[in-house]
Amino acid sequence: MIEATVEARHGHRLLVLPDAGLRLAAVTRGRRNDITVGDRVQARELGAGQAVIESVLPRRNLIQRSDAWRAKPLAANVDQVAVVIAPSPPFSDDLLSRVLIEAGAQDVPVALIANKADLFAASSEIGPRLSLYRSLGYPVFEVSARTEPDRCVASLSAWLSGRTTLLTGQSGMGKSTLVNCLVPDAGLRTQEISSALDAGRHTTTFTRLFALPAPLSGRLIDSPGFQNFGLEHLSGSQQLHAMPECRALLGQCRFHSCSHRDEPGCAIRSAVQDGRIDARRYALLLRLYEEARVSAPASWRR
Ligand SMILES: Nc1nc2c(ncn2[C@@H]2O[C@H](COP(=O)(O)OP(=O)(O)OP(=O)(O)O)[C@@H](O)[C@H]2O)c(=O)[nH]1
Ligand SMILES: [Mg+2]
């Protein structure tokens, strides 16, 4: 039996990197859906570069999104998450905040990589949008992975080195372009969003872990863009805890069971009224409550 790290997963086929030895193609024993990139596994070598995964070692953390029916693991055992956003195609504050909440709920540090800075001048509203997240305490790196790759590497190196970082975000933000400039031999095909009729798009279809090359150390995980990011696997109080501007107000509402909607003496709503909580974040909080109320079976709640 060997121990290995899951490098990639595509359906039921996985790539694992043994602690000693060469990469192996692996399958799971039984059709396990929960094994994800970054997982540490015990596997049995079958010869000819093949292995079967027998068990998953305990995880430090698991970043996932969910819907009413199931959780979708994004990566396990990460040190930090980078949400990649860009002015074009436009990023969604709703989706960005959902990733920030998931990372916060799992106690994983998270930063924003605002890519395509070469396009910021054409987008007057990106500055104020980034300010909101800076004011909440999230580091924001402004980079141009395609047009200024050397400066991009220079500004991200110290933050990335020595750590395992999950790159996540909507499609077309430039995650794979970032990996290509940080890991020159990654050779990832990036999507050509300008091409007519979307022909020849190279949107990423599976998650993959790369070692950062010397003099850096650490690892970078490229992942497919998402269009929705449910948080049904988190309870309402886990979600509030993971919102920095709400955390300090927990327990300050007049009613213990306050839904922060229309009860008198709600500390969250009074913070919205006097501007301590941004109206967009409050609207998201209400949406999350509604999603949990409508769809989440009780078994989701931890
Ligand atoms: N102007 C500009 N375009 C960029 C920059 N970085 C990436 N792009 C372009 O943005 C498009 C999408 O890049 P990808 O790296 O494929 O985006 P992705 O986030 O990996 O997308 P998915 O794999 O679908 O999730 C490509 O056409 C890139 O060339 C940048 O710094 N400036
Ligand atoms: Mg990609």
Side-chain angles (χ1 to χ4, degrees):
M1 197 76 89
I2 57 164
E3 291 195 358
T5 301
V6 176
E7 258 194 328
R9 168 155 205 163
H10 195 46
H12 289 286
R13 292 178 300 155
L14 296 96
L15 287 179
V16 300
L17 192 63
D19 294 349
L22 296 175
R23 175 175 297 120
L24 301 167
V27 292
T28 60
R29 187 173 292 292
R31 296 210 134 201
R32 284 190 66 163
N33 282 320
D34 60 324
I35 300 178
T36 189
V37 170
D39 262 326
R40 299 277 305 149
V41 297
Q42 290 186 312
R44 191 176 302 282
E45 272 195 83
L46 304 173
Q50 308 282 316
V52 58
I53 294 173
E54 299 283 354
S55 63
V56 182
L57 298 172
R59 293 168 172 141
R60 278 191 291 138
N61 54 49
L62 176 65
I63 303 293
Q64 53 186 343
R65 61 194 178 95
S66 58
D67 56 26
W69 297 276
R70 66 185 189 100
K72 298 168 188 167
L74 299 183
N77 302 318
V78 297
D79 296 312
Q80 53 191 17
V81 173
V83 196
V84 184
I85 55 173
S88 167
F91 78 93
S92 147
D93 287 289
D94 174 282
L95 291 173
L96 166 58
S97 280
R98 286 167 186 262
V99 186
L100 299 175
I101 290 170
E102 167 63 2
Q106 309 306 336
D107 259 337
V108 174
V110 56
L112 279 62
I113 299 182
N115 186 33
K116 311 195 191 185
D118 55 299
L119 305 179
F120 283 11
S123 153
S124 56
E125 40 85 38
I126 190 126
R129 288 171 80 191
L130 295 182
S131 299
L132 166 62
Y133 301 99
R134 285 199 176 94
S135 75
L136 294 172
Y138 298 107
V140 179
F141 297 96
E142 296 186 19
V143 301
S144 293
R146 192 179 73 190
T147 56
E148 295 211 67
D150 293 344
R151 273 174 75 172
C152 171
V153 172
S155 61
L156 291 172
S157 290
W159 187 69
L160 293 173
S161 195
R163 306 189 177 103
T164 297
T165 307
L166 168 65
L167 288 184
T168 182
Q170 294 160 253
S171 188
M173 301 289 114
K175 297 177 293 298
S176 300
T177 308
L178 274 161
V179 173
N180 280 338
C181 79
L182 288 152
V183 186
D185 62 359
L188 287 179
R189 302 201 304 172
T190 56
Q191 68 160 303
E192 278 317 315
I193 48 178
S194 57
S195 58
L197 300 173
D198 286 348
R201 284 177 71 140
H202 293 309
T203 190
T204 304
T205 53
F206 61 94
T207 305
R208 174 137 196 191
L209 179 146
F210 297 90
L212 286 164
L216 305 185
S217 62
R219 296 175 298 186
L220 206 52
I221 300 174
D222 188 30
S223 63
F226 51 75
Q227 286 173 333
N228 45 54
F229 203 102
L231 293 174
E232 274 97 324
H233 57 288
L234 300 176
S235 68
S237 88
Q238 283 175 312
Q239 293 168 359
L240 278 178
H241 259 283
M243 296 177 79
E245 72 276 51
C246 298
R247 191 179 306 134
L249 301 170
L250 284 173
Q252 291 187 19
C253 296
R254 186 178 308 163
F255 299 108
H256 179 66
S257 60
C258 189
S259 71
H260 316 299
R261 197 175 294 274
D262 42 26
E263 293 90 339
C266 171
I268 298 279
R269 249 193 17 266
S270 86
V272 177
Q273 275 148 16
D274 64 23
R276 281 173 293 142
I277 293 181
D278 186 275
R280 285 164 292 183
R281 299 269 292 179
Y282 177 62
L284 168 65
L285 185 155
L286 294 183
R287 277 197 299 282
L288 292 172
Y289 263 57
E290 192 58 20
E291 286 167 24
R293 194 181 65 77
V294 172
S295 58
S299 59
W300 269 130
R301 312 284 166 72
R302 273 189 243 136

